mmCIF file of all heavy atoms in Angstrom:
data_model
loop_
_atom_site.group_PDB
_atom_site.id
_atom_site.type_symbol
_atom_site.label_atom_id
_atom_site.label_comp_id
_atom_site.label_asym_id
_atom_site.label_seq_id
_atom_site.Cartn_x
_atom_site.Cartn_y
_atom_site.Cartn_z
ATOM 1 N N GLU A 1006 27.023 -44.783 109.659
ATOM 2 C CA GLU A 1006 28.091 -44.919 108.649
ATOM 3 C C GLU A 1006 27.536 -45.596 107.395
ATOM 4 O O GLU A 1006 26.589 -46.392 107.488
ATOM 5 C CB GLU A 1006 29.311 -45.682 109.152
ATOM 6 C CG GLU A 1006 29.042 -46.976 109.897
ATOM 7 C CD GLU A 1006 30.337 -47.613 110.414
ATOM 8 O OE1 GLU A 1006 31.086 -48.163 109.599
ATOM 9 O OE2 GLU A 1006 30.586 -47.569 111.631
ATOM 10 N N LYS A 1012 33.366 -45.341 106.669
ATOM 11 C CA LYS A 1012 33.235 -46.747 107.081
ATOM 12 C C LYS A 1012 34.180 -47.109 108.224
ATOM 13 O O LYS A 1012 35.367 -46.737 108.193
ATOM 14 C CB LYS A 1012 33.566 -47.647 105.878
ATOM 15 C CG LYS A 1012 33.778 -49.126 106.195
ATOM 16 C CD LYS A 1012 33.772 -49.975 104.939
ATOM 17 C CE LYS A 1012 34.341 -51.347 105.186
ATOM 18 N NZ LYS A 1012 34.353 -52.205 104.022
ATOM 19 N N THR A 1013 33.637 -47.769 109.252
ATOM 20 C CA THR A 1013 34.533 -48.383 110.248
ATOM 21 C C THR A 1013 34.367 -49.898 110.251
ATOM 22 O O THR A 1013 35.202 -50.604 110.727
ATOM 23 C CB THR A 1013 34.259 -47.898 111.699
ATOM 24 O OG1 THR A 1013 33.024 -48.405 112.149
ATOM 25 C CG2 THR A 1013 34.256 -46.379 111.812
ATOM 26 N N GLY A 1014 33.262 -50.398 109.714
ATOM 27 C CA GLY A 1014 33.031 -51.851 109.727
ATOM 28 C C GLY A 1014 31.858 -52.222 108.856
ATOM 29 O O GLY A 1014 31.415 -51.464 107.991
ATOM 30 N N GLY A 1015 31.306 -53.396 109.147
ATOM 31 C CA GLY A 1015 30.264 -53.991 108.312
ATOM 32 C C GLY A 1015 28.983 -53.165 108.228
ATOM 33 O O GLY A 1015 28.276 -53.211 107.218
ATOM 34 N N LEU A 1016 28.685 -52.388 109.258
ATOM 35 C CA LEU A 1016 27.486 -51.555 109.218
ATOM 36 C C LEU A 1016 27.541 -50.631 107.984
ATOM 37 O O LEU A 1016 26.511 -50.402 107.331
ATOM 38 C CB LEU A 1016 27.357 -50.717 110.511
ATOM 39 C CG LEU A 1016 26.276 -49.624 110.522
ATOM 40 C CD1 LEU A 1016 24.888 -50.233 110.292
ATOM 41 C CD2 LEU A 1016 26.311 -48.857 111.849
ATOM 42 N N ALA A 1017 28.715 -50.111 107.696
ATOM 43 C CA ALA A 1017 28.864 -49.220 106.536
ATOM 44 C C ALA A 1017 28.616 -49.964 105.249
ATOM 45 O O ALA A 1017 27.962 -49.455 104.313
ATOM 46 C CB ALA A 1017 30.255 -48.587 106.508
ATOM 47 N N ASP A 1018 29.112 -51.205 105.188
ATOM 48 C CA ASP A 1018 28.905 -51.998 103.968
ATOM 49 C C ASP A 1018 27.408 -52.205 103.742
ATOM 50 O O ASP A 1018 26.917 -52.072 102.637
ATOM 51 C CB ASP A 1018 29.581 -53.358 104.091
ATOM 52 C CG ASP A 1018 31.121 -53.274 104.059
ATOM 53 O OD1 ASP A 1018 31.629 -52.174 103.785
ATOM 54 O OD2 ASP A 1018 31.811 -54.277 104.273
ATOM 55 N N VAL A 1019 26.710 -52.566 104.831
ATOM 56 C CA VAL A 1019 25.268 -52.816 104.712
ATOM 57 C C VAL A 1019 24.521 -51.519 104.347
ATOM 58 O O VAL A 1019 23.670 -51.522 103.466
ATOM 59 C CB VAL A 1019 24.715 -53.413 106.041
ATOM 60 C CG1 VAL A 1019 23.208 -53.582 105.959
ATOM 61 C CG2 VAL A 1019 25.381 -54.771 106.308
ATOM 62 N N HIS A 1166 22.845 -54.740 114.401
ATOM 63 C CA HIS A 1166 24.019 -55.301 113.753
ATOM 64 C C HIS A 1166 24.989 -55.846 114.768
ATOM 65 O O HIS A 1166 25.836 -56.682 114.450
ATOM 66 C CB HIS A 1166 24.717 -54.221 112.919
ATOM 67 C CG HIS A 1166 23.871 -53.712 111.774
ATOM 68 N ND1 HIS A 1166 23.982 -54.164 110.502
ATOM 69 C CD2 HIS A 1166 22.877 -52.798 111.781
ATOM 70 C CE1 HIS A 1166 23.089 -53.553 109.744
ATOM 71 N NE2 HIS A 1166 22.400 -52.707 110.509
ATOM 72 N N ASN A 1167 24.897 -55.361 115.995
ATOM 73 C CA ASN A 1167 25.817 -55.877 117.031
ATOM 74 C C ASN A 1167 25.296 -55.491 118.381
ATOM 75 O O ASN A 1167 25.349 -54.323 118.771
ATOM 76 C CB ASN A 1167 27.226 -55.333 116.808
ATOM 77 C CG ASN A 1167 28.249 -56.151 117.548
ATOM 78 O OD1 ASN A 1167 27.932 -56.760 118.573
ATOM 79 N ND2 ASN A 1167 29.475 -56.155 117.055
ATOM 80 N N PHE A 1170 27.284 -53.468 121.383
ATOM 81 C CA PHE A 1170 27.384 -52.001 121.514
ATOM 82 C C PHE A 1170 25.992 -51.454 121.846
ATOM 83 O O PHE A 1170 25.085 -51.553 121.036
ATOM 84 C CB PHE A 1170 27.922 -51.384 120.220
ATOM 85 C CG PHE A 1170 29.286 -51.914 119.832
ATOM 86 C CD1 PHE A 1170 29.423 -52.824 118.783
ATOM 87 C CD2 PHE A 1170 30.416 -51.555 120.530
ATOM 88 C CE1 PHE A 1170 30.669 -53.330 118.440
ATOM 89 C CE2 PHE A 1170 31.659 -52.057 120.225
ATOM 90 C CZ PHE A 1170 31.787 -52.952 119.157
ATOM 91 N N ASN A 1249 22.904 -60.809 105.728
ATOM 92 C CA ASN A 1249 23.420 -59.775 104.837
ATOM 93 C C ASN A 1249 23.875 -60.372 103.489
ATOM 94 O O ASN A 1249 24.207 -61.536 103.421
ATOM 95 C CB ASN A 1249 24.654 -59.101 105.449
ATOM 96 C CG ASN A 1249 24.313 -58.193 106.625
ATOM 97 O OD1 ASN A 1249 23.200 -57.664 106.689
ATOM 98 N ND2 ASN A 1249 25.255 -58.026 107.527
ATOM 99 N N TRP A 1256 32.588 -55.921 95.531
ATOM 100 C CA TRP A 1256 33.315 -57.140 95.871
ATOM 101 C C TRP A 1256 33.053 -58.238 94.851
ATOM 102 O O TRP A 1256 32.199 -59.071 95.028
ATOM 103 C CB TRP A 1256 32.877 -57.600 97.270
ATOM 104 C CG TRP A 1256 33.330 -56.669 98.375
ATOM 105 C CD1 TRP A 1256 32.613 -55.655 98.921
ATOM 106 C CD2 TRP A 1256 34.592 -56.680 99.034
ATOM 107 N NE1 TRP A 1256 33.359 -55.022 99.880
ATOM 108 C CE2 TRP A 1256 34.601 -55.644 99.972
ATOM 109 C CE3 TRP A 1256 35.764 -57.457 98.938
ATOM 110 C CZ2 TRP A 1256 35.683 -55.350 100.809
ATOM 111 C CZ3 TRP A 1256 36.835 -57.178 99.748
ATOM 112 C CH2 TRP A 1256 36.790 -56.144 100.689
ATOM 113 N N VAL A 1301 41.518 -59.789 108.047
ATOM 114 C CA VAL A 1301 41.201 -58.344 107.972
ATOM 115 C C VAL A 1301 40.083 -58.156 108.989
ATOM 116 O O VAL A 1301 38.999 -58.709 108.873
ATOM 117 C CB VAL A 1301 40.641 -57.952 106.570
ATOM 118 C CG1 VAL A 1301 40.262 -56.455 106.547
ATOM 119 C CG2 VAL A 1301 41.628 -58.292 105.474
ATOM 120 N N SER A 1302 40.362 -57.371 110.038
ATOM 121 C CA SER A 1302 39.390 -57.332 111.087
ATOM 122 C C SER A 1302 39.606 -56.200 112.092
ATOM 123 O O SER A 1302 40.717 -55.719 112.251
ATOM 124 C CB SER A 1302 39.496 -58.644 111.883
ATOM 125 O OG SER A 1302 38.484 -58.782 112.835
ATOM 126 N N ARG A 1303 38.526 -55.829 112.743
ATOM 127 C CA ARG A 1303 38.685 -55.092 113.986
ATOM 128 C C ARG A 1303 39.311 -56.073 114.968
ATOM 129 O O ARG A 1303 38.925 -57.258 114.995
ATOM 130 C CB ARG A 1303 37.306 -54.666 114.535
ATOM 131 C CG ARG A 1303 36.613 -53.612 113.702
ATOM 132 C CD ARG A 1303 35.317 -53.136 114.373
ATOM 133 N NE ARG A 1303 34.288 -54.167 114.408
ATOM 134 C CZ ARG A 1303 33.788 -54.719 115.512
ATOM 135 N NH1 ARG A 1303 34.221 -54.362 116.703
ATOM 136 N NH2 ARG A 1303 32.841 -55.641 115.438
ATOM 137 N N LEU A 1304 40.245 -55.640 115.765
ATOM 138 C CA LEU A 1304 40.870 -56.553 116.708
ATOM 139 C C LEU A 1304 40.182 -56.348 118.073
ATOM 140 O O LEU A 1304 40.573 -55.496 118.848
ATOM 141 C CB LEU A 1304 42.387 -56.313 116.801
ATOM 142 C CG LEU A 1304 43.134 -56.502 115.483
ATOM 143 C CD1 LEU A 1304 44.612 -56.222 115.618
ATOM 144 C CD2 LEU A 1304 42.934 -57.926 114.923
ATOM 145 N N THR A 1305 39.110 -57.138 118.265
ATOM 146 C CA THR A 1305 38.386 -57.047 119.537
ATOM 147 C C THR A 1305 38.088 -58.468 119.982
ATOM 148 O O THR A 1305 38.198 -59.430 119.189
ATOM 149 C CB THR A 1305 37.022 -56.330 119.359
ATOM 150 O OG1 THR A 1305 36.237 -57.124 118.479
ATOM 151 C CG2 THR A 1305 37.149 -54.951 118.816
ATOM 152 N N GLN A 1307 35.405 -59.956 120.339
ATOM 153 C CA GLN A 1307 34.412 -60.585 119.480
ATOM 154 C C GLN A 1307 35.028 -61.495 118.432
ATOM 155 O O GLN A 1307 34.537 -62.563 118.128
ATOM 156 C CB GLN A 1307 33.558 -59.490 118.786
ATOM 157 C CG GLN A 1307 32.609 -60.033 117.723
ATOM 158 C CD GLN A 1307 31.930 -58.920 116.900
ATOM 159 O OE1 GLN A 1307 31.978 -57.741 117.295
ATOM 160 N NE2 GLN A 1307 31.288 -59.275 115.804
ATOM 161 N N LYS A 1308 36.128 -61.006 117.844
ATOM 162 C CA LYS A 1308 36.653 -61.659 116.644
ATOM 163 C C LYS A 1308 37.522 -62.907 116.926
ATOM 164 O O LYS A 1308 37.891 -63.632 116.018
ATOM 165 C CB LYS A 1308 37.450 -60.652 115.815
ATOM 166 C CG LYS A 1308 36.607 -59.448 115.398
ATOM 167 C CD LYS A 1308 35.514 -59.808 114.394
ATOM 168 C CE LYS A 1308 34.646 -58.595 114.056
ATOM 169 N NZ LYS A 1308 33.551 -58.946 113.110
ATOM 170 N N LEU A 1330 45.658 -57.510 108.521
ATOM 171 C CA LEU A 1330 45.290 -56.101 108.507
ATOM 172 C C LEU A 1330 44.253 -55.919 109.582
ATOM 173 O O LEU A 1330 43.176 -56.514 109.520
ATOM 174 C CB LEU A 1330 44.703 -55.720 107.118
ATOM 175 C CG LEU A 1330 44.061 -54.342 107.024
ATOM 176 C CD1 LEU A 1330 44.993 -53.209 107.341
ATOM 177 C CD2 LEU A 1330 43.471 -54.163 105.606
ATOM 178 N N GLY A 1331 44.582 -55.133 110.578
ATOM 179 C CA GLY A 1331 43.597 -54.951 111.648
ATOM 180 C C GLY A 1331 44.059 -53.970 112.690
ATOM 181 O O GLY A 1331 45.253 -53.764 112.891
ATOM 182 N N SER A 1332 43.097 -53.362 113.347
ATOM 183 C CA SER A 1332 43.470 -52.502 114.465
ATOM 184 C C SER A 1332 42.402 -52.594 115.555
ATOM 185 O O SER A 1332 41.280 -53.036 115.303
ATOM 186 C CB SER A 1332 43.734 -51.086 114.052
ATOM 187 O OG SER A 1332 42.880 -50.715 113.006
ATOM 188 N N ASN A 1355 49.673 -55.096 109.244
ATOM 189 C CA ASN A 1355 49.377 -53.681 108.972
ATOM 190 C C ASN A 1355 48.246 -53.229 109.879
ATOM 191 O O ASN A 1355 47.242 -53.944 110.026
ATOM 192 C CB ASN A 1355 48.915 -53.487 107.515
ATOM 193 C CG ASN A 1355 50.091 -53.385 106.567
ATOM 194 O OD1 ASN A 1355 50.693 -52.323 106.465
ATOM 195 N ND2 ASN A 1355 50.445 -54.487 105.942
ATOM 196 N N THR A 1356 48.409 -52.064 110.461
ATOM 197 C CA THR A 1356 47.326 -51.495 111.262
ATOM 198 C C THR A 1356 46.691 -50.367 110.417
ATOM 199 O O THR A 1356 47.133 -50.100 109.318
ATOM 200 C CB THR A 1356 47.823 -50.915 112.573
ATOM 201 O OG1 THR A 1356 48.913 -50.023 112.296
ATOM 202 C CG2 THR A 1356 48.265 -51.982 113.542
ATOM 203 N N GLY A 1357 45.652 -49.765 110.972
ATOM 204 C CA GLY A 1357 45.007 -48.692 110.231
ATOM 205 C C GLY A 1357 43.933 -49.242 109.306
ATOM 206 O O GLY A 1357 43.684 -50.456 109.294
ATOM 207 N N TYR A 1358 43.300 -48.360 108.566
ATOM 208 C CA TYR A 1358 42.224 -48.768 107.693
ATOM 209 C C TYR A 1358 42.673 -48.658 106.245
ATOM 210 O O TYR A 1358 43.038 -47.570 105.799
ATOM 211 C CB TYR A 1358 40.998 -47.865 107.962
ATOM 212 C CG TYR A 1358 39.823 -48.297 107.154
ATOM 213 C CD1 TYR A 1358 39.010 -49.302 107.586
ATOM 214 C CD2 TYR A 1358 39.603 -47.734 105.881
ATOM 215 C CE1 TYR A 1358 37.949 -49.746 106.799
ATOM 216 C CE2 TYR A 1358 38.559 -48.177 105.111
ATOM 217 C CZ TYR A 1358 37.729 -49.164 105.558
ATOM 218 O OH TYR A 1358 36.713 -49.615 104.794
ATOM 219 N N HIS A 1359 42.698 -49.740 105.501
ATOM 220 C CA HIS A 1359 43.189 -49.719 104.090
ATOM 221 C C HIS A 1359 42.256 -50.536 103.223
ATOM 222 O O HIS A 1359 42.346 -51.762 103.164
ATOM 223 C CB HIS A 1359 44.607 -50.316 104.039
ATOM 224 C CG HIS A 1359 45.605 -49.618 104.898
ATOM 225 N ND1 HIS A 1359 46.110 -48.376 104.576
ATOM 226 C CD2 HIS A 1359 46.134 -49.967 106.076
ATOM 227 C CE1 HIS A 1359 46.961 -48.022 105.538
ATOM 228 N NE2 HIS A 1359 46.985 -48.942 106.459
ATOM 229 N N GLU A 1360 41.414 -49.820 102.533
ATOM 230 C CA GLU A 1360 40.441 -50.477 101.648
ATOM 231 C C GLU A 1360 41.121 -51.336 100.557
ATOM 232 O O GLU A 1360 40.816 -52.482 100.354
ATOM 233 C CB GLU A 1360 39.596 -49.353 101.014
ATOM 234 C CG GLU A 1360 38.362 -49.789 100.251
ATOM 235 C CD GLU A 1360 37.260 -50.351 101.131
ATOM 236 O OE1 GLU A 1360 37.206 -50.039 102.349
ATOM 237 O OE2 GLU A 1360 36.450 -51.115 100.604
ATOM 238 N N HIS A 1361 42.122 -50.709 99.907
ATOM 239 C CA HIS A 1361 42.830 -51.375 98.795
ATOM 240 C C HIS A 1361 43.494 -52.661 99.272
ATOM 241 O O HIS A 1361 43.358 -53.725 98.654
ATOM 242 C CB HIS A 1361 43.858 -50.367 98.222
ATOM 243 C CG HIS A 1361 44.690 -50.930 97.105
ATOM 244 N ND1 HIS A 1361 44.233 -51.060 95.830
ATOM 245 C CD2 HIS A 1361 45.978 -51.390 97.098
ATOM 246 C CE1 HIS A 1361 45.193 -51.578 95.083
ATOM 247 N NE2 HIS A 1361 46.239 -51.799 95.840
ATOM 248 N N LEU A 1362 44.215 -52.555 100.392
ATOM 249 C CA LEU A 1362 44.896 -53.758 100.909
ATOM 250 C C LEU A 1362 43.889 -54.833 101.300
ATOM 251 O O LEU A 1362 44.131 -56.021 101.098
ATOM 252 C CB LEU A 1362 45.792 -53.355 102.097
ATOM 253 C CG LEU A 1362 46.613 -54.487 102.728
ATOM 254 C CD1 LEU A 1362 47.504 -55.160 101.716
ATOM 255 C CD2 LEU A 1362 47.474 -53.945 103.887
ATOM 256 N N SER A 1363 42.766 -54.406 101.880
ATOM 257 C CA SER A 1363 41.779 -55.405 102.312
ATOM 258 C C SER A 1363 41.292 -56.211 101.131
ATOM 259 O O SER A 1363 41.126 -57.436 101.214
ATOM 260 C CB SER A 1363 40.618 -54.764 103.077
ATOM 261 O OG SER A 1363 39.709 -54.145 102.191
ATOM 262 N N HIS A 1364 41.096 -55.579 99.981
ATOM 263 C CA HIS A 1364 40.647 -56.317 98.779
ATOM 264 C C HIS A 1364 41.747 -57.290 98.323
ATOM 265 O O HIS A 1364 41.461 -58.404 97.901
ATOM 266 C CB HIS A 1364 40.274 -55.347 97.642
ATOM 267 C CG HIS A 1364 38.950 -54.701 97.816
ATOM 268 N ND1 HIS A 1364 37.908 -54.917 96.968
ATOM 269 C CD2 HIS A 1364 38.484 -53.848 98.746
ATOM 270 C CE1 HIS A 1364 36.852 -54.208 97.363
ATOM 271 N NE2 HIS A 1364 37.188 -53.534 98.436
ATOM 272 N N MET A 1367 41.986 -60.271 100.627
ATOM 273 C CA MET A 1367 40.890 -61.177 100.363
ATOM 274 C C MET A 1367 41.123 -61.984 99.097
ATOM 275 O O MET A 1367 40.810 -63.186 99.037
ATOM 276 C CB MET A 1367 39.598 -60.309 100.227
ATOM 277 C CG MET A 1367 38.346 -61.078 100.395
ATOM 278 S SD MET A 1367 38.340 -62.116 101.842
ATOM 279 C CE MET A 1367 37.921 -60.965 103.121
ATOM 280 N N PHE A 1373 40.978 -67.633 104.623
ATOM 281 C CA PHE A 1373 40.728 -66.472 105.459
ATOM 282 C C PHE A 1373 40.319 -66.942 106.859
ATOM 283 O O PHE A 1373 39.511 -67.857 106.993
ATOM 284 C CB PHE A 1373 39.555 -65.649 104.846
ATOM 285 C CG PHE A 1373 39.414 -64.316 105.445
ATOM 286 C CD1 PHE A 1373 40.207 -63.239 105.017
ATOM 287 C CD2 PHE A 1373 38.519 -64.104 106.469
ATOM 288 C CE1 PHE A 1373 40.085 -61.998 105.619
ATOM 289 C CE2 PHE A 1373 38.389 -62.864 107.066
ATOM 290 C CZ PHE A 1373 39.185 -61.804 106.647
ATOM 291 N N MET A 1375 38.666 -66.411 110.608
ATOM 292 C CA MET A 1375 37.636 -65.622 111.268
ATOM 293 C C MET A 1375 36.988 -66.430 112.415
ATOM 294 O O MET A 1375 35.810 -66.828 112.297
ATOM 295 C CB MET A 1375 36.605 -65.204 110.219
ATOM 296 C CG MET A 1375 35.798 -64.012 110.585
ATOM 297 S SD MET A 1375 34.869 -63.455 109.102
ATOM 298 C CE MET A 1375 33.793 -62.264 109.895
ATOM 299 N N PHE A 1379 31.404 -64.393 118.749
ATOM 300 C CA PHE A 1379 30.037 -64.195 118.266
ATOM 301 C C PHE A 1379 30.149 -63.359 117.011
ATOM 302 O O PHE A 1379 31.096 -62.610 116.830
ATOM 303 C CB PHE A 1379 29.128 -63.535 119.315
ATOM 304 C CG PHE A 1379 29.519 -62.133 119.695
ATOM 305 C CD1 PHE A 1379 28.944 -61.034 119.064
ATOM 306 C CD2 PHE A 1379 30.465 -61.887 120.707
ATOM 307 C CE1 PHE A 1379 29.303 -59.746 119.428
ATOM 308 C CE2 PHE A 1379 30.825 -60.601 121.048
ATOM 309 C CZ PHE A 1379 30.235 -59.527 120.424
ATOM 310 N N GLU A 1380 29.216 -63.541 116.095
ATOM 311 C CA GLU A 1380 29.281 -62.787 114.833
ATOM 312 C C GLU A 1380 27.875 -62.622 114.280
ATOM 313 O O GLU A 1380 27.290 -63.545 113.738
ATOM 314 C CB GLU A 1380 30.148 -63.554 113.826
ATOM 315 C CG GLU A 1380 30.599 -62.711 112.634
ATOM 316 C CD GLU A 1380 31.460 -61.501 113.057
ATOM 317 O OE1 GLU A 1380 32.590 -61.688 113.417
ATOM 318 O OE2 GLU A 1380 30.889 -60.376 113.031
ATOM 319 N N PRO A 1381 27.299 -61.410 114.488
ATOM 320 C CA PRO A 1381 25.930 -61.180 114.019
ATOM 321 C C PRO A 1381 25.715 -61.636 112.560
ATOM 322 O O PRO A 1381 24.795 -62.386 112.281
ATOM 323 C CB PRO A 1381 25.783 -59.690 114.177
ATOM 324 C CG PRO A 1381 26.686 -59.338 115.356
ATOM 325 C CD PRO A 1381 27.833 -60.281 115.207
ATOM 326 N N CYS A 1382 26.571 -61.203 111.670
ATOM 327 C CA CYS A 1382 26.560 -61.755 110.321
ATOM 328 C C CYS A 1382 28.002 -62.038 109.895
ATOM 329 O O CYS A 1382 28.404 -63.147 109.726
ATOM 330 C CB CYS A 1382 25.901 -60.821 109.305
ATOM 331 S SG CYS A 1382 25.983 -61.543 107.667
ATOM 332 N N GLY A 1383 28.778 -60.947 109.783
ATOM 333 C CA GLY A 1383 30.132 -61.095 109.259
ATOM 334 C C GLY A 1383 30.059 -60.960 107.761
ATOM 335 O O GLY A 1383 29.232 -61.550 107.087
ATOM 336 N N LEU A 1384 30.902 -60.089 107.229
ATOM 337 C CA LEU A 1384 30.924 -59.902 105.764
ATOM 338 C C LEU A 1384 32.156 -60.513 105.176
ATOM 339 O O LEU A 1384 32.144 -61.005 104.033
ATOM 340 C CB LEU A 1384 30.837 -58.430 105.425
ATOM 341 C CG LEU A 1384 29.489 -57.807 105.796
ATOM 342 C CD1 LEU A 1384 29.538 -56.308 105.787
ATOM 343 C CD2 LEU A 1384 28.418 -58.296 104.845
ATOM 344 N N ASN A 1385 33.252 -60.525 105.946
ATOM 345 C CA ASN A 1385 34.503 -61.021 105.387
ATOM 346 C C ASN A 1385 34.435 -62.474 104.939
ATOM 347 O O ASN A 1385 35.038 -62.843 103.931
ATOM 348 C CB ASN A 1385 35.634 -60.802 106.354
ATOM 349 C CG ASN A 1385 36.154 -59.394 106.289
ATOM 350 O OD1 ASN A 1385 36.305 -58.842 105.211
ATOM 351 N ND2 ASN A 1385 36.351 -58.781 107.435
ATOM 352 N N GLN A 1386 33.686 -63.295 105.683
ATOM 353 C CA GLN A 1386 33.596 -64.699 105.230
ATOM 354 C C GLN A 1386 32.826 -64.764 103.923
ATOM 355 O O GLN A 1386 33.089 -65.642 103.086
ATOM 356 C CB GLN A 1386 32.970 -65.586 106.336
ATOM 357 C CG GLN A 1386 31.483 -65.676 106.384
ATOM 358 C CD GLN A 1386 30.852 -64.424 107.048
ATOM 359 O OE1 GLN A 1386 31.544 -63.433 107.334
ATOM 360 N NE2 GLN A 1386 29.577 -64.458 107.300
ATOM 361 N N TYR A 1388 32.911 -62.368 101.623
ATOM 362 C CA TYR A 1388 33.887 -61.929 100.624
ATOM 363 C C TYR A 1388 34.823 -63.122 100.303
ATOM 364 O O TYR A 1388 35.185 -63.349 99.142
ATOM 365 C CB TYR A 1388 34.699 -60.722 101.078
ATOM 366 C CG TYR A 1388 33.859 -59.519 101.432
ATOM 367 C CD1 TYR A 1388 34.204 -58.654 102.438
ATOM 368 C CD2 TYR A 1388 32.700 -59.258 100.712
ATOM 369 C CE1 TYR A 1388 33.415 -57.524 102.769
ATOM 370 C CE2 TYR A 1388 31.906 -58.137 101.008
ATOM 371 C CZ TYR A 1388 32.254 -57.304 102.040
ATOM 372 O OH TYR A 1388 31.482 -56.211 102.354
HETATM 373 P P1 ADP B 1108 32.437 -55.956 111.770
HETATM 374 O O1 ADP B 1108 31.414 -55.073 111.191
HETATM 375 O O2 ADP B 1108 32.013 -56.646 113.016
HETATM 376 O O3 ADP B 1108 33.751 -55.290 111.954
HETATM 377 P P2 ADP B 1108 32.191 -57.471 109.266
HETATM 378 O O4 ADP B 1108 32.862 -58.711 108.821
HETATM 379 O O5 ADP B 1108 30.733 -57.413 109.182
HETATM 380 O O6 ADP B 1108 32.685 -57.177 110.760
HETATM 381 O O7 ADP B 1108 32.680 -56.238 108.422
HETATM 382 C C1 ADP B 1108 33.949 -55.719 108.479
HETATM 383 C C2 ADP B 1108 34.173 -54.852 107.301
HETATM 384 O O8 ADP B 1108 35.226 -53.911 107.584
HETATM 385 C C3 ADP B 1108 34.648 -55.595 106.061
HETATM 386 O O9 ADP B 1108 34.218 -54.915 104.889
HETATM 387 C C4 ADP B 1108 36.158 -55.541 106.206
HETATM 388 O O10 ADP B 1108 36.817 -55.758 105.003
HETATM 389 C C5 ADP B 1108 36.334 -54.175 106.756
HETATM 390 N N1 ADP B 1108 37.556 -53.934 107.543
HETATM 391 C C6 ADP B 1108 37.794 -54.278 108.827
HETATM 392 N N2 ADP B 1108 38.981 -53.850 109.236
HETATM 393 C C7 ADP B 1108 39.539 -53.193 108.178
HETATM 394 C C8 ADP B 1108 40.784 -52.510 107.964
HETATM 395 N N3 ADP B 1108 41.690 -52.417 108.914
HETATM 396 N N4 ADP B 1108 40.997 -51.952 106.741
HETATM 397 C C9 ADP B 1108 40.051 -52.061 105.774
HETATM 398 N N5 ADP B 1108 38.878 -52.703 105.900
HETATM 399 C C10 ADP B 1108 38.607 -53.239 107.104
#
Side-chain angles (χ1 to χ4, degrees):
E1006 48 183 286
K1012 168 167 164 179
T1013 71
L1016 171 60
D1018 290 353
V1019 175
H1166 297 263
N1167 197 334
F1170 301 106
N1249 288 332
W1256 292 94
V1301 178
S1302 188
R1303 291 185 291 116
L1304 300 179
T1305 63
Q1307 172 188 347
K1308 302 293 176 180
L1330 169 60
S1332 35
N1355 277 279
T1356 52
Y1358 183 85
H1359 303 286
E1360 190 70 22
H1361 177 77
L1362 181 57
S1363 78
H1364 282 246
M1367 199 48 82
F1373 192 84
M1375 202 168 170
F1379 64 94
E1380 196 61 74
C1382 178
L1384 292 166
N1385 279 317
Q1386 86 282 8
Y1388 301 146

